Amino acid sequence: MPKVRNWDSRIGRRVRLRDLHVLFAAVQQGSMAKAGTHLGMSQSAVSQSIAALEHALQVPLLDRTPRGVELTVYGAALTRRGQAAFDELRSGVKEIEFLADPTTGEVRVACTESIAAGVLPSVIERFSSRYPKVRLHVLPTAGHETGFAALHERKVDVVLTLPPRPLEQDLGEQLHAEVLFSDRICFAAASKNPLARRRRIDLTDLADAALISPASDTPGGAAVIEAFRRAGLASPVSITTFSVHLRSILAMSGRFIAVLPVSILRFNPGFYSLRELPLDVPMPQPPALIVTLRNRTLSPPVERFVECAREVAKAMHAQPSARKAAAAAATPTAARRR
């Protein structure tokens, strides 16, 4: 393929956004005919738009097969970059709308279950009270990898995640992560549970408890098993699940002790009717991250959302843990004053 040296005359004036849009539709629909129906165009008009692109670029973009159309390597490169261009253009239009009316726009967030049950409701409450006309779309993800895929595909603007392991390799060069706060795995019980009313407990008090925990191949689950092993006790874990919702609901029933991120209790005081048990046991402290694409300019509404997330996260550092509160309560008043 000869190099295109004059972008302005050869490509810039001949590659039309409309033709790119038609190409994307043909790829998504799998055929020229279906793309025409989807766009309200004739099949001939769809073919002409794609042919115009191929003529301008001097390469085939689609392979025509009896089953429909498939991207060539050239077409794959163009659609990958073209989708990013369309996303930036879309963001530009949204930014213009926001500048014209600072209270409008949209924010698309992907988050894991632990974030949705913990810090996210407080962030949404603050953000929506300040910008009530901004549309907020929340995409729950089964894991941070799924959220990152949606970020790369530009289906979401930000990802909020509490990763189960360090993410240096997962992030790569295209993603930027900011630590909002350091969370901590804790033991939680219903307020009516007798253990929740005690100032201090140790692992022997949980030896006969019904413990619900993440699986042993997660940092939290592994830490629980190791803590009991070091204390010379058998692990009382009777149920393992990655579901934060299930752990919380069962613990609220009163019989179960749940292993949870402490942020769920801190950001939702009283909502789950759960209390952190005052156990002095070392547990993992995973970082709560807000992740964005490194080279993608955030729209004003997304920037405001990130600012609200930072403000809410500060509350996590301001509240004492149950262990510190219990230690303070056990210390004589005169000693605390000294």
Side-chain angles (χ1 to χ4, degrees):
M1 172 186 173
K3 291 185 178 179
V4 178
R5 300 183 182 279
N6 193 333
W7 157 263
D8 206 33
S9 62
R10 180 60 70 104
I11 303 297
R13 296 179 185 178
R14 298 175 64 181
V15 173
R16 299 183 302 177
L17 290 176
R18 176 180 176 276
D19 294 338
L20 282 172
H21 183 61
V22 170
L23 175 65
F24 296 158
V27 173
Q28 288 180 338
Q29 300 297 321
S31 74
M32 302 283 194
K34 291 181 180 179
T37 301
H38 176 73
L39 297 172
M41 302 170 56
S42 66
Q43 181 176 347
S44 175
V46 172
S47 298
Q48 289 176 10
S49 289
I50 295 175
L53 274 177
E54 292 178 325
H55 179 70
L57 297 170
Q58 299 181 354
V59 293
L61 300 175
L62 295 175
D63 285 329
R64 284 73 169 173
T65 71
R67 297 189 301 273
V69 295
E70 295 180 359
L71 285 170
T72 65
V73 290
Y74 307 114
L78 180 63
T79 54
R80 184 171 61 252
R81 301 292 184 178
Q83 285 172 348
F86 264 87
D87 179 72
E88 289 297 329
L89 181 61
R90 176 179 176 277
S91 296
V93 173
K94 292 295 183 182
E95 185 169 350
I96 291 172
E97 292 177 351
F98 185 84
L99 292 173
D101 183 357
T103 64
T104 63
E106 68 176 9
V107 180
R108 300 166 299 167
V109 182
C111 69
T112 51
E113 185 185 3
S114 55
I115 291 292
V119 66
L120 185 59
S122 297
V123 176
I124 291 177
E125 184 67 35
R126 179 172 301 216
F127 179 78
S128 63
S129 64
R130 293 181 182 176
Y131 311 101
K133 293 184 180 179
V134 176
R135 295 185 301 276
L136 188 63
H137 308 280
V138 179
L139 172 68
T141 62
H144 63 273
E145 294 93 344
T146 309
F148 292 165
L151 195 59
H152 283 298
E153 295 167 5
R154 297 175 182 255
K155 294 179 180 178
V156 298
D157 302 302
V158 298
V159 172
L160 288 166
T161 182
L162 195 65
R165 65 176 188 275
L167 290 180
E168 288 79 3
Q169 295 181 349
D170 295 341
L171 289 174
E173 298 180 355
Q174 297 182 351
L175 299 179
H176 174 265
E178 175 184 343
V179 177
L180 291 176
F181 59 89
S182 293
D183 211 332
R184 178 171 49 79
I185 305 301
C186 74
F187 294 84
S191 301
K192 59 186 177 182
N193 190 304
L195 291 174
R197 296 191 290 269
R198 293 173 57 175
R199 291 186 175 182
R200 293 189 65 179
I201 64 173
D202 55 41
L203 289 179
T204 57
D205 297 309
L206 301 181
D208 297 323
L211 201 64
I212 179 168
S213 165
S216 59
D217 58 352
T218 64
V224 169
I225 293 175
E226 178 62 16
F228 280 96
R229 187 193 66 79
R230 289 185 177 180
L233 301 170
S235 172
V237 174
S238 56
I239 300 176
T240 60
T241 176
F242 196 71
S243 171
V244 173
H245 179 70
L246 181 59
R247 278 179 270 161
S248 301
I249 293 298
L250 286 175
M252 288 168 60
S253 70
R255 190 167 70 88
F256 288 92
I257 306 296
V259 178
L260 293 168
V262 74
S263 60
I264 293 176
L265 309 181
R266 299 285 183 83
F267 288 113
N268 304 281
F271 180 79
Y272 287 102
S273 68
L274 297 175
R275 293 183 183 177
E276 179 187 357
L277 297 181
L279 275 163
D280 189 13
V281 178
M283 296 296 284
Q285 299 186 33
L289 305 178
I290 186 164
V291 185
T292 57
L293 282 177
R294 188 176 295 277
N295 295 320
R296 183 184 186 186
T297 302
L298 300 181
S299 68
V302 176
E303 290 180 340
R304 303 297 182 273
F305 180 84
V306 173
E307 288 173 2
C308 287
R310 290 171 181 149
E311 292 172 6
V312 170
K314 291 180 181 178
M316 186 68 179
H317 304 289
Q319 299 181 36
S321 68
R323 289 181 297 181
K324 291 182 179 179
T331 303
T333 303
R336 291 201 300 270
R337 288 175 179 173
R338 290 198 299 268

